[in-house]
Amino acid sequence: MPDSQAIVMEHEAHNPALLHHFADAQQQKNAASLGMWLFLVTEIMFFGGMFCAYLVYRLAHFNAFAAASQQLSIGMGAFNTAVLIVSSITVVLAVKAAEAGKRKVLVGYLIITVLLGMTFLVVKGFEYREKFEKHHVPGSTFKFTDTFDDNGKQIPVNPKEAELFFSLYFAMTGMHALHMIIGCGLFGVLTVFAWKGHYSPGYFTPIENAGLYWHLVDIIWIYLFPLLYLISRHS
Amino acid sequence: MASTVIPANQTLAPTPKLNYLNNGHTLKSWLLTTDHKRIALLYLISVTVFFFLGGFFAMLIRLELLTPQGDLMQADTYNKVFTMHGMIMVFFFLIPVVPAVLGNFLVPLMIGAKDLAFPRINLLSWYLYITAGTLFLHCMLTGGVDTGWTFYTPYSTVGSNTNVIEAGLAVFIAGFSSIFTGLNFIVTIHRMRAPGLTWDRLPLFIWANYATSLIMILGTPVIAITVVLVAVERLFHLGIFDPRLGGDPLLFQHLFWFYSHPAVYIMILPSMGVISELIACFARKRIFGYKFVALSSLAIAVFGFLVWAHHMFVAGISLYAAMIFSFLSFSVGVPSAVKVFNWTATLYKSSISYATPMLYAFGFIGLFTIGGLTGLMLATIGIDVHVTDTYFVVAHFHYVMVGGVLMGYLGGLHFWWPKISGRMYPESWAKLSALLVFVGFNLTFFPQFILGYVGMPRRYWQYPPEFQVLNVLSTAGSSVLAVGYLLPMIYLLWSLKYGPIAEANPWGAAGLEWQTTSPPPTFNFDETPVVTWEAYNYDEIPAPKQLEAPGAR
Amino acid sequence: MSEHEEHTSHSQAFYLAIGIGLLVLTATTVGAAFVNLGPFNPIIALLIATIKATLVVLFFMHVKGASEKLTGAVVVSGFFFLAILLSLSLADYLTRSWR
Amino acid sequence: MSKFLPLWPDQASTMASQVDALYIYLLLVSGVMTALIYIAVTVLAIKYRRVPGRDAQQIEGSTLLEITWSIVPLFVMMTFFIWGAVIYFQERTPPADATEVYVVAKQWMWKIEHMEGQREINQLHVPTGQNIKLIMTSQDVIHSFFVPAFRIKQDVLPGRYTTLWFKATQPGRYHLFCAEYCGTNHSGMGGDIVVMEPQDYAQWMAGGPSAPLQETGKQLFTQLGCATCHRFDVQGRGPNLTAVYNKPVLLEDGRTVIADENYVRESILNPTAKIVSGFKPVMPTFQGIVSDEQLNALVAYVKSLAQPPTGTAGLQNQPPTSPAQPQNTQVQ
Ligand code: HEA
Ligand code: HEA
Ligand code: CUA
Ligand SMILES: [Cu+2]
């Protein structure tokens, strides 16, 4: 687009990120932020469909869900929750650094965030492997005989319903993990850009918006963790 | 183009002849454009292709149903044909048609902006749409799908041995195209309005698109995840809806209709917005009860989320839930009624010209009223038990979708054609086609109400012989309808070259889009307009000299 | 167009405090799961999750204080329509027998 | 009804005339509304057509009018709702004295079993004047049992029972359709409902050889070993099944459910889902072991245990003493 490029240049030379059709940088920033928030709403509804399925089936097959849930590793789940929370802190500190124009600090926090995200995924990988080993992956090889809870009390379970739990488990955590992978990629790219000095206190919208995304993915996990891992651990 | 060709390197020269159409002639300048108007045209072309494809399938349906025996094609083929017809018409034609073509073109123009807030995302949504469309075509050519457009489980997960996953993926991608359009509109309407253009001065078309965008953002993700779950169930045997695992097939229906009911308002709302513009212009009046018409769009959008299970009255939901959803369904009727009554009231003491767009607007009011009122009958549970899954429902939704949305779209297309193309269309041909569409439409779909009440189930490839007469009428009507749709296709193309040059404001219409040249320059306005007047200030605009468009013949 | 908020961010210590609060809440929710509270177990778990999510939304995502009202409205409407999906679906499931 | 151009379906059940009355009411209201709008638009369009020298008069709107034309339609719609809901409630509440018929749907046929053991395929014979309750399930995908002449329809789902009831009034042969799309031969998945005078029906019934459904169930009950746990003389490992049907059952987790057909079905296929209070979850699942038809027989048998044996050759079930239960189990 020769025309648009030219206009961009002429309009506000010192801020190459300002697009021609915006009146000023403020308008552009407000637009980007509103756009991001709306996108987050679509994410809420996207996961919402699965939460709805979860809710319905949990009410219907409570025993099986409790028994199946106890096969998840609460240790890994809790550890991952902590990892995500720490990563959310580093993200918010990264945004703060960007706002203050501290390039190196920013890059540092971004790198830590990516590392934390990858930690999460690696732990998740171990969890998935465990499921394969225990034949807890839905499908023809699925087996579920672990009908005793942590305290040795038998929970009567129809293995089919436990399979349903694991279907939901894989659908929900899998979709969440996919979002984590995207987030890691996103922050990886941002790290490179930040290193190259693309962002300034006057312009760091991408960092801010990616941060919002990361926090939302965190929030989804905050709900997934108790819903999937913490059913009927007592008794 | 008739205007002189301007070399690309001179595009910034402020010649008055320079507009978005001749600003760059290469294929690249179209395929990589971020100009909302060019993207609208890309959509116009692709959506039209899908409409004719969907129409082609409709004709196959009608031909098959000419006789009671299934003699034209195999049962499986018929099942694929109506599935393709429904999916194409809904996901690849009707949902994008008004927002992505007219909305894309007009939203920035109407609010005095240079472009949508995210032009590149706008282009991306077109590419997503095209990807989805191509995928769907591929799916179609390699066997197609036969689940009906509703993808009901467990048929879609275990029953069907057709290409469900690919079709689901296409719907998924098309969904994201729609989400991005909606997101773009909301941000644009919030952030990019010209100075002085307050919310109570916005054209009703903008209000309608705003409400539509809300539905797109809130509803579409749910169907996206739902088709993903269906695909995953087919692929990896994760049984989310599988009754053998204790899954509930009705859960699929809940999730599906949570989107797909509001989606019918994605279709109708923008068209209602168009109708408001048309009536105001050709009655030369501010719309009666502007505020109520504007807010009723929002009301429809919100209430639309409360009624989805009226598609499931006999599906096995609880008695009480059925009652709740029936009750809530009527809530949508009220804001719809408000619109119909206000349009009618606008005609009072007005000055009406019967230009083609206005004829379509009349058609819309008439057919939407029938479609809507039969919608109320379906919402009445005692009746729905008998008529659900019969041709009564088919007639209902064609009345609202074809009689409503499509009429509105055609009216809008004619109305803004001078702005889009810079040319006038031939008025008398246009009137003829409007008439053909109206007559053909009623002949096609009115008999289906009767057919439904006497009990002919939908999605039937063969039927008991006593239903034949009504089916023959319907088929006859559909051929009239086909001619009615082919005509505009021909004369609009013709007008691109031979139509009289359009002025900036051939209708003497209010609205910022008419204050710039026809066709508009790339950035819409040479100077950002400052708005100091209310919407539809027709008392301040002189009516055009002729009763109808200049160049009418 | 809204006024821009110049001071979006809080101090580093503040963020750390919120973060530590979140970690403590995580520990609490795990602990609470091992105590038998009858029907209150899921309620407590969801309550804690909601508190955590609210903290993240308000302070990490800067909805509190700094941003304009519109952002809040967007967030609320997101959860509102999710609530519609869940509650009206349950209106069916809770009033019918399961198979 | 004209066979050449039918404009109205046959009325052959008690429900038909009720639904038709409501439909006529809706047609009238809609007709009036449509006429009002069409006439208003036409008259205004002609009266205020554009003529030189006459300009439109700008009118802002009127809150009073807006409120009127919101409230009035709302009230009209509420009459639709209430009337429709009343009919629907009847349609979904089978009378207690209904004769039961089991229906199993599969791609693409209807298999029907009478309590007396008669089996039919794609045909259902019923007497006039008798309440008939269909207990339906599907072996594969969703189907829908639709009899236009009776104005009734109900989807038939895999994995659970749905029910439908009617009382035929006119002898004759009526269409049975499958109304939920179910694959290739969906439009061929139909048949006839044959409504007969009671005496003809009794004759037809007598022609059948088979044993009553609950007899088959009784045999299965011993064959499958149910009787080893569910004993009628002493307390076995499982609860005594006498007088279970249609009574509230206290569950281990504190809930109470009504033991309707779906509950009995679930108890056999998925015994762990709802454990009866005071019992151990030792009952094995019979999923995959019993066919849908056998299941129906077992359910019929368990139900028969709750009702004193009737004299009239099992043609009618005695009305249970408890008032009619809504079809759904209530989870309190
Ligand atoms: C553009 C699309 C569109 C629109 C706008 C509507 C609008 C409405 N629809 Fe429709 N509908 C569909 C598209 C649409 N529908 C489709 C595609 C299906 C079938 C899907 C499938 O199964 O494949 C369907 C199916 C459908 C069903 C399920 C039928 C079944 O399968 O059993 C129901 C049931 O309640 C229903 C109801 C309604 C109602 C109450 C409205 C209301 O919004 C209508 C409101 C409008 C008015 C009421 C008219 C104007 C008002 C007046 C003139 C006032 C006067 C009124 C009085 C005084 C009473 N629709
Ligand atoms: C926007 C939505 C839309 C539109 C515009 C239409 C338009 C039409 N529809 Fe469709 N229809 C649906 C949406 C739509 N439909 C849906 C959602 C279903 C449900 C599917 C399901 O059950 O899953 C359905 C189902 C449906 C059925 C029921 C099938 C069944 O249940 O067995 C019928 C039957 O008559 C029908 C007919 C028609 C006709 C005659 C038109 C006419 O208006 C079409 C007129 C247009 C043309 C005729 C095109 C003109 C061009 C040519 C003829 C030339 C051909 C050109 C080329 C090949 C290049 N439709
Ligand atoms: Cu069975 Cu359609
Ligand atoms: Cu609907």
Side-chain angles (χ1 to χ4, degrees):
Chain A
M1 244 70 349
D3 48 321
S4 51
Q5 230 71 57
I7 292 197
V8 170
M9 290 312 160
E10 152 211 74
H11 202 91
E12 207 172 341
H14 63 274
N15 189 349
L18 181 70
L19 294 170
H20 65 276
H21 58 290
F22 289 110
D24 52 40
Q26 192 54 56
Q27 191 187 31
Q28 175 168 354
K29 189 174 155 69
N30 284 343
S33 143
L34 179 58
M36 192 65 206
W37 277 103
L38 290 171
F39 180 71
L40 297 186
V41 168
T42 67
E43 291 281 14
I44 294 177
M45 297 307 290
F46 188 76
F47 278 93
M50 286 188 289
F51 278 109
C52 184
Y54 173 87
L55 191 64
V56 166
Y57 290 150
R58 173 173 169 160
L59 287 171
H61 311 302
F62 184 77
N63 287 337
F65 270 44
S69 156
Q70 315 223 334
Q71 295 302 313
L72 303 185
S73 161
I74 203 165
M76 290 202 245
F79 176 76
N80 258 351
T81 314
V83 167
L84 273 193
I85 287 175
V86 174
S87 77
S88 259
I89 305 177
T90 58
V91 164
V92 82
L93 293 177
V95 175
K96 191 173 161 61
E99 195 181 19
K102 299 183 191 149
R103 185 174 64 103
K104 286 202 177 130
V105 182
L106 168 62
V107 171
Y109 279 129
L110 291 178
I111 290 177
I112 302 179
T113 308
V114 175
L115 289 179
L116 287 169
M118 300 212 303
T119 312
F120 178 94
L121 288 168
V122 169
V123 173
K124 196 86 243 161
F126 279 113
E127 280 193 70
Y128 280 3
R129 199 184 70 185
E130 191 193 329
K131 302 283 162 299
F132 270 98
E133 284 164 355
K134 289 162 92 177
H135 294 287
H136 285 172
V137 180
S140 50
T141 59
F142 184 85
K143 278 205 198 70
F144 193 84
T145 45
D146 323 86
T147 52
F148 292 90
D149 71 5
D150 293 352
N151 309 320
K153 189 187 157 196
Q154 195 193 17
I155 308 179
V157 168
N158 180 345
K160 297 278 186 198
E161 295 176 0
E163 191 173 345
L164 189 63
F165 174 86
F166 283 106
S167 288
L168 276 168
Y169 167 82
F170 277 104
M172 295 172 99
T173 58
M175 198 52 84
H176 179 265
L178 186 66
H179 279 76
M180 291 293 299
I181 294 171
I182 294 171
C184 285
L186 194 69
F187 273 80
V189 174
L190 289 184
T191 313
V192 176
F193 281 176
W195 178 253
K196 289 194 186 152
H198 277 236
Y199 308 114
S200 64
Y203 174 72
F204 58 101
T205 317
I207 306 266
E208 236 182 344
N209 282 349
L212 290 178
Y213 172 84
W214 193 273
H215 291 309
L216 186 92
V217 176
D218 185 12
I219 288 177
I220 288 164
W221 183 260
I222 285 179
Y223 279 99
L224 286 183
F225 173 59
L227 289 180
L228 293 175
Y229 290 76
L230 301 181
I231 309 176
S232 278
R233 286 283 172 170
H234 54 76
S235 69
Chain B
M1 291 306 113
S3 50
T4 42
V5 178
I6 291 143
N9 57 0
Q10 279 182 31
T11 45
L12 278 175
T15 28
K17 288 261 164 79
L18 187 69
N19 63 51
Y20 84 101
L21 287 173
N22 57 21
N23 186 357
H25 291 279
T26 57
L27 193 61
K28 190 176 153 217
S29 76
W30 282 91
L31 291 184
L32 292 180
T33 182
T34 52
D35 182 347
H36 66 102
K37 298 181 289 302
R38 286 192 162 205
I39 297 174
L41 284 198
L42 293 177
Y43 265 116
L44 175 64
I45 295 164
S46 29
V47 150
T48 309
V49 169
F50 277 105
F51 172 68
F52 279 98
L53 198 59
F56 170 70
F57 284 120
M59 294 318 281
L60 289 184
I61 296 180
R62 283 315 331 158
L63 280 178
E64 167 62 58
L65 296 180
L66 200 55
T67 56
Q69 313 80 15
D71 37 17
L72 181 65
M73 51 184 114
Q74 299 292 308
D76 277 327
T77 318
Y78 180 80
N79 294 343
K80 286 176 187 165
V81 164
F82 75 70
T83 302
M84 305 291 179
H85 168 66
M87 285 191 187
I88 289 180
M89 284 301 198
V90 169
F91 296 114
F92 298 103
F93 174 64
L94 212 57
I95 287 179
V97 66
V98 185
V101 178
L102 296 178
N104 233 330
F105 194 92
L106 292 165
V107 166
L109 277 168
M110 282 185 164
I111 66 173
K114 290 198 184 98
D115 204 326
L116 286 173
F118 309 117
R120 276 175 297 197
I121 293 185
N122 195 19
L123 183 64
L124 174 68
S125 15
W126 183 72
Y127 273 104
L128 286 175
Y129 171 82
I130 284 299
T131 312
T134 316
L135 206 62
F136 194 80
L137 291 182
H138 176 261
C139 161
M140 209 175 81
L141 294 175
T142 56
V145 254
D146 71 342
T147 60
W149 79 281
T150 46
F151 285 108
Y152 273 18
T153 56
Y155 186 68
S156 61
T157 50
V158 294
S160 171
N161 49 17
T162 54
N163 229 332
V164 181
I165 297 178
E166 201 175 355
L169 191 62
V171 169
F172 179 84
I173 298 175
F176 274 90
S177 156
S178 160
I179 288 177
F180 287 142
T181 305
L183 196 150
N184 226 333
F185 281 3
I186 296 196
V187 175
T188 307
I189 295 169
H190 268 287
R191 300 296 196 216
M192 316 273 292
R193 277 171 285 126
L197 192 56
T198 51
W199 285 90
D200 50 4
R201 287 175 177 171
L202 281 181
L204 290 165
F205 182 73
I206 300 291
W207 274 103
N209 271 289
Y210 185 80
T212 309
S213 306
L214 288 179
I215 307 177
M216 287 173 161
I217 282 190
L218 291 163
T220 320
V222 177
I223 194 168
I225 188 67
T226 311
V227 295
V228 168
L229 292 178
V230 168
V232 161
E233 189 158 338
R234 274 183 85 93
L235 267 180
F236 306 120
H237 310 287
L238 286 191
I240 309 256
F241 305 115
D242 187 349
R244 285 168 307 186
L245 303 186
D248 183 15
L250 291 193
L251 179 66
F252 171 84
Q253 298 180 19
H254 276 296
L255 294 175
F256 179 85
W257 290 115
F258 179 82
Y259 164 75
S260 294
H261 179 80
V264 308
Y265 301 116
I266 294 184
M267 309 170 194
I268 197 84
L269 278 170
S271 235
M272 289 170 153
V274 168
I275 297 306
S276 297
E277 300 294 321
L278 300 187
I279 291 185
C281 175
F282 294 99
R284 305 216 60 74
K285 263 185 74 176
R286 182 173 161 85
I287 289 287
F288 190 85
Y290 166 91
K291 270 211 182 97
F292 288 87
V293 178
L295 292 179
S296 64
S297 290
L298 291 183
I300 291 176
V302 173
F303 291 155
F305 277 101
L306 306 178
V307 308
W308 74 81
H310 65 206
H311 297 270
M312 303 163 60
F313 286 153
V314 302
I317 59 173
S318 96
L319 176 65
Y320 308 98
M323 302 234 183
I324 295 173
F325 278 104
S326 166
F327 176 78
L328 290 171
S329 293
F330 292 100
S331 66
V332 200
V334 173
S336 308
V338 164
K339 281 191 193 281
V340 171
F341 292 135
N342 278 302
W343 290 325
T344 313
T346 306
L347 301 180
Y348 178 66
K349 298 214 165 156
S350 63
S351 166
I352 300 170
S353 95
Y354 307 134
T356 310
M358 190 62 168
L359 297 186
Y360 278 110
F362 286 142
F364 178 99
I365 298 182
L367 300 180
F368 173 73
T369 300
I370 297 182
L373 286 167
T374 50
L376 296 183
M377 295 189 189
L378 292 171
T380 307
I381 1 182
I383 300 292
D384 186 68
V385 169
H386 174 54
V387 293
T388 183
D389 280 320
T390 67
Y391 265 81
F392 192 93
V393 176
V394 175
H396 155 68
F397 67 70
H398 283 94
Y399 261 81
V400 271
M401 304 212 286
V402 185
V405 184
L406 204 53
M407 284 282 190
Y409 169 65
L410 286 176
L413 193 64
H414 283 89
F415 182 54
W416 283 293
W417 189 250
K419 187 57 61 183
I420 295 174
S421 69
R423 301 286 182 151
M424 300 306 296
Y425 57 82
E427 181 72 23
S428 27
W429 280 106
K431 282 194 167 139
L432 175 69
S433 86
L435 191 73
L436 282 179
V437 169
F438 188 82
V439 172
F441 176 84
N442 282 299
L443 189 55
T444 310
F445 293 108
F446 198 83
Q448 296 186 356
F449 282 123
I450 306 170
L451 211 44
Y453 199 76
V454 287
M456 175 162 163
R458 62 191 282 207
R459 297 171 171 177
Y460 261 33
W461 161 73
Q462 53 184 13
Y463 53 87
E466 69 257 31
F467 297 146
Q468 189 176 9
V469 178
L470 289 165
N471 271 300
V472 169
L473 283 180
S474 183
T475 302
S478 69
S479 37
V480 179
L481 197 51
V483 177
Y485 288 135
L486 280 171
L487 269 183
M489 177 80 189
I490 297 166
Y491 65 71
L492 287 180
L493 282 177
W494 174 89
S495 77
L496 284 181
K497 203 162 167 70
Y498 304 104
I501 305 277
E503 304 157 24
N505 189 358
W507 314 111
L512 290 177
E513 79 270 29
W514 300 107
Q515 299 197 358
T516 182
T517 47
S518 297
T522 299
F523 293 119
N524 296 348
F525 301 96
D526 297 333
E527 257 172 67
T528 304
V530 177
V531 180
T532 54
W533 55 89
E534 301 298 311
Y536 309 112
N537 51 338
Y538 276 100
D539 44 348
E540 293 161 21
I541 304 171
K545 275 157 240 97
Q546 297 99 323
L547 290 185
E548 276 146 10
R553 44 174 65 242
Chain C
M1 304 306 109
S2 69
E3 284 304 298
H4 185 53
E5 52 304 323
E6 273 320 311
H7 300 285
T8 332
S9 56
H10 305 270
S11 73
Q12 185 151 337
F14 179 81
Y15 288 136
L16 286 176
I18 298 283
I20 289 169
L22 290 171
L23 289 173
V24 171
L25 283 171
T26 307
T28 320
T29 191
V30 174
F34 286 99
V35 185
N36 190 353
L37 303 168
F40 289 102
N41 274 98
I43 296 180
I44 293 279
L46 283 180
L47 200 68
I48 294 181
T50 306
I51 297 174
K52 285 161 75 181
T54 317
L55 287 177
V56 174
V57 170
L58 290 185
F59 300 111
F60 284 2
M61 297 168 92
H62 301 121
V63 168
K64 171 123 185 38
S67 311
E68 49 174 337
K69 263 188 262 158
L70 182 60
T71 319
V74 172
V75 178
V76 170
S77 69
F79 285 102
F80 176 71
F81 282 90
L82 178 60
I84 290 182
L85 170 63
L86 300 181
S87 57
L88 281 180
S89 300
L90 286 186
D92 174 15
Y93 286 100
L94 293 183
T95 54
R96 75 160 124 123
S97 71
W98 189 261
R99 217 130 304 166
Chain D
M1 177 180 95
S2 152
K3 276 281 170 205
F4 172 67
L5 179 58
L7 296 175
W8 204 269
D10 291 324
Q11 279 190 351
S13 77
T14 47
M15 206 48 80
S17 52
Q18 291 204 44
V19 173
D20 285 354
L22 173 55
Y23 185 56
I24 288 168
Y25 170 68
L26 293 185
L27 283 181
L28 280 177
V29 175
S30 305
V32 168
M33 283 316 300
T34 313
L36 271 176
I37 289 166
Y38 276 48
I39 292 170
V41 169
T42 316
V43 168
L44 292 172
I46 293 171
K47 184 150 180 229
Y48 298 108
R49 68 188 178 279
R50 192 167 302 167
V51 285
R54 189 178 70 199
D55 281 345
Q57 215 170 334
Q58 302 300 320
I59 305 167
E60 185 47 46
S62 147
T63 311
L64 185 68
L65 263 180
E66 301 289 347
I67 291 174
T68 321
W69 62 45
S70 309
I71 302 278
V72 173
L74 185 64
F75 274 108
V76 178
M77 289 176 206
M78 284 306 101
T79 63
F80 295 5
F81 165 66
I82 292 166
W83 193 344
V86 168
I87 291 186
Y88 184 70
F89 194 85
Q90 291 176 25
E91 281 170 344
R92 290 283 297 265
T93 319
D97 66 347
T99 302
E100 291 170 349
V101 175
Y102 285 83
V103 177
V104 176
K106 61 172 271 194
Q107 284 169 330
W108 293 274
M109 63 200 265
W110 298 99
K111 293 189 282 186
I112 287 160
E113 278 178 88
H114 293 263
M115 289 303 288
E116 293 76 4
Q118 232 88 358
R119 285 160 186 249
E120 308 182 60
I121 286 186
N122 291 341
Q123 278 212 340
L124 170 60
H125 286 74
V126 290
T128 53
Q130 168 77 51
N131 293 323
I132 310 280
K133 175 179 168 190
L134 305 180
I135 300 170
M136 310 186 290
T137 187
S138 161
Q139 282 180 356
D140 35 50
V141 300
I142 304 179
H143 304 271
S144 190
F145 195 96
F146 176 35
V147 186
F150 295 169
R151 313 286 187 278
I152 50 161
K153 186 184 289 119
Q154 172 63 52
D155 283 9
V156 180
L157 298 145
R160 72 181 251 212
Y161 286 126
T162 49
T163 58
L164 189 61
W165 80 273
F166 59 86
K167 182 178 186 173
T169 52
Q170 290 296 320
R173 198 173 262 272
Y174 306 101
H175 287 300
L176 159 65
F177 291 125
C178 173
E180 183 63 62
Y181 175 66
C182 54
T184 310
N185 205 14
H186 161 64
S187 55
M189 186 172 163
D192 297 300
I193 307 285
V194 185
V195 180
M196 308 165 110
E197 298 288 1
Q199 60 273 25
D200 299 344
Y201 179 71
Q203 209 173 355
W204 176 83
M205 198 40 113
S210 336
L213 196 56
Q214 62 264 42
E215 280 307 313
T216 320
K218 190 172 182 178
Q219 282 163 19
L220 282 168
F221 199 76
T222 14
Q223 273 168 28
L224 293 167
C226 317
T228 53
C229 298
H230 296 285
R231 322 215 9 184
F232 303 107
D233 40 359
V234 293
Q235 181 62 55
R237 283 201 287 167
N240 185 336
L241 295 182
T242 317
V244 165
Y245 177 66
N246 234 348
K247 300 280 173 348
V249 178
L250 182 64
L251 298 183
E252 189 70 19
D253 57 14
R255 288 180 299 166
T256 308
V257 296
I258 304 281
D260 62 2
E261 292 101 358
N262 266 324
Y263 171 80
V264 178
R265 179 194 167 94
E266 186 187 46
S267 295
I268 300 169
L269 292 183
N270 189 6
T272 49
K274 298 194 179 75
I275 303 296
V276 183
S277 170
F279 287 90
K280 292 228 157 51
V282 291
M283 173 165 163
T285 170
F286 287 85
Q287 198 163 28
I289 298 173
V290 293
S291 69
D292 276 286
E293 283 87 353
Q294 290 177 321
L295 193 57
N296 287 343
L298 282 171
V299 172
Y301 173 63
V302 172
K303 287 171 65 176
S304 72
L305 293 172
Q307 285 143 354
T310 52
T312 55
L315 221 169
Q316 273 142 298
N317 292 330
Q318 219 79 78
T321 36
S322 60
Q325 295 289 347
Q327 166 225 345
N328 286 303
T329 300
Q330 302 301 301
V331 179
Q332 264 98 27

